[in-house]
Amino acid sequence: MSEYVLELKGITKIFPGVKALNQVQFQLKPGEVHALMGENGAGKSTFIKVITGVHRAEEGEMFLDGRRVDFKGPRDAQAAGIAAVYQHPTSYPDLTVTENIFMNHEMKKHGIIQWKEMHQEARKYLDQLDADFKPTAEMGSLSVAQQQMVEIAKAISTHARIIILDEPTAALTASESEKLYRIVDKLREEGVSIIFISHRFEDMYRLASRVTVFRDSQYIGTYEVDQITNAELIKQMVGREISDLYPKPRVKLGEEVLRIEKLSRTGYFKDVSLHVRAGEIVGLTGLVGAGRTEVMEAVCGITRCSQGRIYLEGREIHIKNPTDSRDAGIILLPEDRQKTGLILSWGLGRNVTLPILNRFSHHGILNEKEERALAKELLEDVDTKAVTVFDPASSLSGGNQQKVVVAKALAQDNMKVVILDEPTKGVDVGAKAEIYQIMGELAQKGYAIIMISSEMPEIIGMCDRVYVMCGGRVTGELNREELSQEVILEYAMEKGTDDKKNAKKEGAE
């Protein structure tokens, strides 16, 4: 019997003009959670598709339980007990949970689908995952975390003994991630082998016993998780040492640029006050649901606040919509860059210049040469890795997509305040360092920066001051010298809870 349930040797995959995988290898033990890490473009996604039969490798061998296999397509991989759960659920939103779980392997008798039995089986799989929704629920009504549960239930329903989880925590909150961790632990205890692909070190440390690193389409090495440091792992992933992952520049702070006083929106946040100066990076953090994004959306006119005042450079302003915000020089880079930050099917250049197209219009005729020249200059300023300005935004990695969103903000020459909502969400460690570098450069140019983030290391590493929120209120304001994960959590949980108790008590009185 082989030591490995799955083994790949010398796998090479070539696309026209690109060697997507170059002699890579991988070994997965029975009942093991094995992390696979690397920057975007390292070859991880192509590797998954070779394992699942979507792509056929030009060179190399794959073994299951020591026996060589050659998948002609995804059905062969599924029949062999291999399933993949992708970062973006590949579900049918208008169908029920049961229909999604049993898609392409429905339970039939004499050619008739057995709905009662399928619902019962679906309920059994959902109970196994501690799901809190019904198998008759419509898929489109579920949260991202719940949809991922359905995808895992689908994998279980095919009796998969190898499950590949591709960036499953990228769009999850901390509590949702913890629930996923428990599911993975349970699957491992039941003997399922799991390949866990992630950019997040906490995922690896929480779940995996070993980690394999790919870089530039090549196999770099496999390491015991408890025997490799963060610094060593980063060096293997990016090919260089990132001695200062958070390149916080020393900036002489200028005058106050933005101040909000007692801003409230009924049902979302109450009496929020904060300010930011020129050259300052101010963090806005707290647990998910604290109201951080909602406050900044109100500042930018995406929603309307019920009371409070906003001051820009000492003058009160009244922002009724996002256009007013843009014209005032307050720019929001949204959390979901794919849905609200970019038009993915459009070229990079047009994404960058979209808010300022009127600048290139002369007598109703668009000067496309001038437009492309500015877009190219801005994309180069933020070191976007692309071939031309005509490349669609969908073709870029998450980190490079975020750079395009930053370039679009820089296109607006009246910018004074930059609000970045979860700017490094879903990007690899190398791209994170580059985004932090851009933030530092913006601060040096005198822009006032507000960063909303759930990642405490970047809040501590990059911010001059931090506001902590809980339950729609600011529960603490901390200087750089006061920052630590323990202090931030105290304000995000205990003090916020005390505020809620006091509010309830005041209401009762």
Side-chain angles (χ1 to χ4, degrees):
M1 182 95 179
S2 171
E3 180 186 359
Y4 305 115
V5 64
L6 174 69
E7 184 173 15
L8 295 97
K9 299 178 180 179
I11 298 295
T12 296
K13 177 62 188 173
I14 301 172
F15 295 110
V18 178
K19 189 172 278 191
L21 293 171
N22 185 9
Q23 294 290 311
V24 301
Q25 64 184 62
F26 188 86
Q27 298 89 26
L28 181 66
K29 296 178 180 179
E32 176 188 31
V33 178
H34 191 140
L36 178 59
M37 302 186 77
E39 292 188 279
N40 287 322
K44 303 186 301 294
S45 296
T46 303
F47 188 65
I48 294 173
K49 290 175 181 175
V50 169
I51 295 174
T52 55
V54 176
H55 295 324
R56 296 191 71 183
E58 277 74 21
E59 297 177 21
E61 298 175 303
M62 181 160 64
F63 300 85
L64 281 176
D65 298 318
R67 296 190 302 273
R68 191 178 187 280
V69 293
D70 183 17
F71 296 150
K72 303 292 192 296
R75 284 187 180 275
D76 289 352
Q78 181 177 313
I82 299 174
V85 177
Y86 294 98
Q87 178 180 350
H88 303 290
T90 53
S91 57
Y92 297 87
D94 297 326
L95 300 183
T96 66
V97 168
T98 296
E99 288 170 313
N100 273 276
I101 289 175
F102 287 98
M103 183 63 63
N104 294 324
H105 62 288
E106 296 85 356
M107 299 171 68
K108 295 180 181 180
K109 188 175 182 180
H110 306 303
I112 300 172
I113 294 176
Q114 304 299 297
W115 288 108
K116 183 179 179 180
E117 288 82 356
M118 281 169 53
H119 283 313
Q120 288 173 344
E121 282 294 296
R123 179 72 271 170
K124 183 179 77 175
Y125 297 134
L126 294 176
D127 287 344
Q128 191 175 334
L129 301 175
D130 296 325
D132 56 357
F133 51 90
K134 296 180 179 179
T136 52
E138 197 172 89
M139 194 72 169
S141 68
L142 304 182
S143 69
V144 173
Q146 290 171 328
Q147 289 182 34
Q148 283 192 337
M149 277 192 188
V150 176
E151 293 291 303
I152 294 172
K154 183 176 181 178
I156 296 171
S157 75
T158 64
H159 307 292
R161 57 201 184 100
I162 297 171
I163 298 179
I164 304 167
L165 299 177
D166 182 15
E167 293 286 353
T169 60
L172 302 188
T173 65
S175 60
E176 289 170 341
S177 293
E178 187 54 44
K179 189 168 187 177
L180 178 69
Y181 295 157
R182 291 196 294 271
I183 291 170
V184 172
D185 285 337
K186 196 171 184 179
L187 291 171
R188 174 175 50 192
E189 289 167 6
E190 293 169 359
V192 178
S193 301
I194 295 170
I195 301 173
F196 200 103
I197 299 170
S198 180
H199 288 133
R200 295 170 55 176
F201 292 115
E202 55 264 43
D203 292 344
M204 179 196 70
Y205 287 123
R206 171 63 174 78
L207 295 171
S209 55
R210 293 191 299 156
V211 55
T212 288
V213 175
F214 286 0
R215 183 176 75 238
D216 297 333
S217 307
Q218 295 183 321
Y219 170 83
I220 300 302
T222 298
Y223 314 92
E224 298 291 330
V225 167
D226 59 2
Q227 293 177 14
I228 187 167
T229 66
N230 253 17
E232 290 169 338
L233 190 57
I234 289 172
K235 184 178 179 181
Q236 299 306 320
M237 288 169 62
V238 302
R240 64 189 187 280
E241 289 188 20
I242 303 181
S243 54
D244 189 2
L245 182 58
Y246 306 103
K248 178 72 176 71
R250 290 184 176 274
V251 178
K252 184 178 180 180
L253 303 185
E255 297 295 319
E256 179 181 282
V257 180
L258 177 72
R259 172 182 290 273
I260 64 174
E261 291 184 352
K262 294 189 175 299
L263 212 63
S264 300
R265 183 185 173 204
T266 305
Y268 293 90
F269 54 87
K270 185 173 177 62
D271 291 337
V272 174
S273 298
L274 60 81
H275 69 278
V276 56
R277 298 165 66 183
E280 187 177 28
I281 301 176
V282 168
L284 189 57
T285 192
L287 302 179
V288 172
R292 305 161 305 170
T293 295
E294 288 78 4
V295 170
M296 290 301 116
E297 286 180 342
V299 169
C300 295
I302 296 171
T303 58
R304 300 294 294 273
C305 50
S306 48
Q307 66 181 48
R309 298 173 182 272
I310 302 173
Y311 297 88
L312 185 67
E313 296 178 325
R315 293 183 299 105
E316 185 175 1
I317 58 173
H318 302 280
I319 295 174
K320 298 177 182 178
N321 52 55
T323 301
D324 287 349
S325 174
R326 184 194 68 194
D327 292 345
I330 303 173
I331 309 298
L332 171 66
L333 279 59
E335 176 181 4
D336 193 332
R337 55 183 167 266
Q338 294 193 338
K339 284 188 178 179
T340 53
L342 298 167
I343 301 176
L344 293 176
S345 60
W346 282 20
L348 309 181
R350 183 54 55 86
N351 265 288
V352 169
T353 58
L354 180 60
I356 57 164
L357 276 178
N358 61 334
R359 192 188 301 177
F360 308 104
S361 180
H362 307 288
H363 308 295
I365 299 173
L366 189 66
N367 187 330
E368 294 188 2
K369 184 178 180 181
E370 185 180 338
E371 178 199 4
R372 285 197 299 272
L374 178 62
K376 184 173 183 293
E377 179 185 336
L378 291 170
L379 289 166
E380 288 174 350
D381 283 348
V382 295
D383 194 27
T384 308
K385 294 177 177 64
V387 179
T388 72
V389 295
F390 299 107
D391 288 4
S394 59
S395 69
L396 300 187
S397 67
N400 281 298
Q401 286 179 354
Q402 186 71 328
K403 291 178 186 178
V404 177
V405 177
V406 174
K408 181 168 70 171
L410 293 173
Q412 299 167 83
D413 52 15
N414 68 328
M415 186 170 69
K416 300 182 179 80
V417 181
V418 189
I419 304 167
L420 303 104
D421 193 351
E422 301 287 1
T424 65
K425 183 176 180 179
V427 307
D428 60 61
V429 65
K432 281 186 178 183
E434 292 175 347
I435 290 168
Y436 299 145
Q437 183 71 38
I438 292 168
M439 286 176 58
E441 291 169 359
L442 292 176
Q444 287 176 315
K445 291 177 181 177
Y447 296 112
I449 299 172
I450 298 174
M451 177 173 67
I452 304 169
S453 178
S454 304
E455 292 197 26
M456 283 191 281
E458 70 182 10
I459 283 285
I460 294 168
M462 290 300 297
C463 295
D464 296 295
R465 281 186 305 114
V466 172
Y467 292 93
V468 187
M469 290 188 66
C470 179
R473 294 176 180 267
V474 171
T475 52
E477 178 184 354
L478 302 167
N479 293 321
R480 186 170 177 81
E481 297 74 24
E482 302 173 290
L483 292 176
S484 72
Q485 294 202 21
E486 292 75 18
V487 172
I488 292 172
L489 277 173
E490 182 183 353
Y491 280 100
M493 297 171 67
E494 294 175 8
K495 296 198 175 185
T497 304
D498 290 342
D499 281 352
K500 285 184 178 178
K501 287 178 181 176
N502 292 337
K504 285 182 181 178
K505 186 178 179 182
E506 289 168 8
E509 291 171 353

